[in-house]
Amino acid sequence: MSDNNSKQTDLFQSTIASKKYSTYRVPYPIELPEKIVSLLSKKRKPPHTLALDVACGTGLGTRILAKHFQRVIGLDISETQIAEATALEKSPNVTYQVCAAHSLPVDSNSVDLVTVATAIQWLDLETFYPEIDRVLKPGGCLMVYGYSSRSIKYHFKDKSDALTKLYNDTLFGTYIDYWTYRKPYLWNHYRDLPLPYKENERDDSMSWRDEVTVDDVIGYTSSLSFFEKYEQDHSDADRLLQDLQNRIMDILDVKTAPDKTVVGREFPLFLVSSRKPSEIT
């Protein structure tokens, strides 16, 4: 997910990066779209005609809105991300366009909902928020949500704490300088994110839990922005992944191969809503 107002227009641009993104990124909980629509409907009643998912990447947060809106448009500055999202899409009312976040391709006062999924830390809020205000209908909402890799917890017997510490120390200790967000709002679960309107709500009740192989853990790591940035600067970047895998396997102390070794994984999900004032009647 990226935007041409971001410092990182060179990230998530390759076909390989987009494939990693769609393969390894964590899906969103099934209750998320229901909570989004419930929040929106408090003052913006159905039917809901149009939703925009900005910085949509490969469409993980776009397609979950399909059954709740007459039209959904996913927007991203990366042509390869949009191509991957389009190839994966099955809903006829969902489309994708290459587009910058500060220049949305819709009419003023035409949008019920704008979402940004795990991506607003890349955007220039000074140009994005005025554009949001232009396109939202009165009473419409901007909803920002996401996971933070910094809050991930891994579970494996009595090794959970050691495994989680290794992962966090590696990504956010050894390689901290390769995280190049415009602002690190994601790491604090968007609690310090400036919002465009005065009527705001948040929901911290959701999380994603699953079981993945160690190979999947490494694949997920390879899909993160810090690794793509590291890869740009180091021709032997795969050694980082191999070293992390070796250290994980040392902690787990099992005889199975990485692609057969299963660990639990848990991400907290955070959702923030900011509502445009309704028209005065």
Side-chain angles (χ1 to χ4, degrees):
M1 300 179 185
S2 54
D3 172 70
N4 73 345
N5 277 345
S6 161
K7 296 186 293 183
Q8 293 304 319
T9 55
D10 55 342
L11 296 181
F12 306 121
Q13 298 294 323
S14 72
T15 300
I16 292 174
S18 294
K19 289 289 184 183
K20 287 180 181 178
Y21 203 102
S22 63
T23 301
Y24 293 112
R25 284 302 177 100
V26 180
Y28 295 108
I30 58 174
E31 66 265 35
L32 174 61
E34 304 294 338
K35 285 184 178 282
I36 287 174
V37 172
S38 177
L39 281 172
L40 176 63
S41 298
K42 286 182 178 181
K43 292 187 178 179
R44 187 89 211 163
K45 302 299 182 184
H48 300 130
T49 57
L50 179 59
L52 304 183
D53 184 30
V54 176
C56 68
T58 58
L60 281 173
T62 314
R63 59 185 61 95
I64 64 174
L65 300 173
K67 72 176 185 178
H68 300 284
F69 293 83
Q70 294 175 14
R71 292 177 59 213
V72 181
I73 306 174
L75 305 164
D76 200 284
I77 197 63
S78 168
E79 294 183 6
T80 58
Q81 294 274 61
I82 290 297
E84 182 74 5
T86 301
L88 293 170
E89 189 54 60
K90 297 179 181 179
S91 298
N93 63 326
V94 178
T95 59
Y96 297 90
Q97 295 183 42
V98 176
C99 176
H102 68 277
S103 183
L104 302 176
V106 293
D107 293 336
S108 299
N109 301 311
S110 65
V111 177
D112 297 285
L113 173 72
V114 176
T115 59
V116 187
T118 319
I120 201 165
Q121 62 275 5
W122 295 111
L123 305 184
D124 179 359
L125 302 185
E126 291 185 2
T127 58
F128 179 53
Y129 281 171
E131 185 68 347
I132 293 301
D133 191 57
R134 180 185 72 81
V135 303
L136 277 178
K137 298 175 182 177
C141 291
L142 168 67
M143 296 198 194
V144 179
Y145 61 90
Y147 301 112
S148 171
S149 298
R150 201 167 191 169
S151 301
I152 190 172
K153 292 182 179 179
Y154 286 105
H155 302 287
F156 189 88
K157 300 179 182 178
D158 61 346
K159 313 287 187 180
S160 299
D161 289 347
L163 182 56
T164 298
K165 185 177 187 303
L166 167 65
Y167 196 77
N168 287 336
D169 285 353
T170 301
L171 271 62
F172 302 103
T174 305
Y175 299 105
I176 187 69
D177 291 340
Y178 291 92
W179 293 94
T180 53
Y181 297 146
R182 181 177 288 275
K183 293 286 186 181
Y185 299 125
L186 187 66
W187 292 353
N188 196 32
H189 296 195
Y190 295 149
R191 290 186 182 93
D192 54 354
L193 174 69
L195 294 168
Y197 303 116
K198 294 181 179 179
E199 185 178 343
N200 304 314
E201 295 184 66
R202 67 176 293 129
D203 187 316
D204 293 287
S205 66
M206 293 174 282
S207 64
W208 175 262
R209 296 177 179 86
D210 62 3
E211 292 186 341
V212 293
T213 68
V214 172
D215 265 8
D216 292 330
V217 173
I218 300 305
Y220 169 77
T221 305
S222 75
S223 78
L224 297 173
S225 62
F226 95 93
F227 181 73
E228 189 170 352
K229 178 62 177 174
Y230 184 84
E231 199 171 28
Q232 291 174 357
D233 297 343
H234 297 81
S235 60
D236 61 346
D238 284 346
R239 290 187 180 182
L240 182 161
L241 300 177
Q242 187 62 56
D243 178 63
L244 178 60
Q245 178 176 287
N246 291 344
R247 288 188 290 155
I248 288 173
M249 294 303 292
D250 286 344
I251 285 176
L252 300 183
D253 191 24
V254 293
K255 295 181 179 179
T256 49
D259 64 338
K260 303 295 183 183
T261 304
V262 176
V263 299
R265 182 173 62 173
E266 179 180 358
F267 286 83
L269 176 73
F270 34 93
L271 167 66
V272 180
S273 173
S274 190
R275 187 182 301 273
K276 183 175 180 176
S278 299
E279 290 180 315
I280 299 174
T281 57

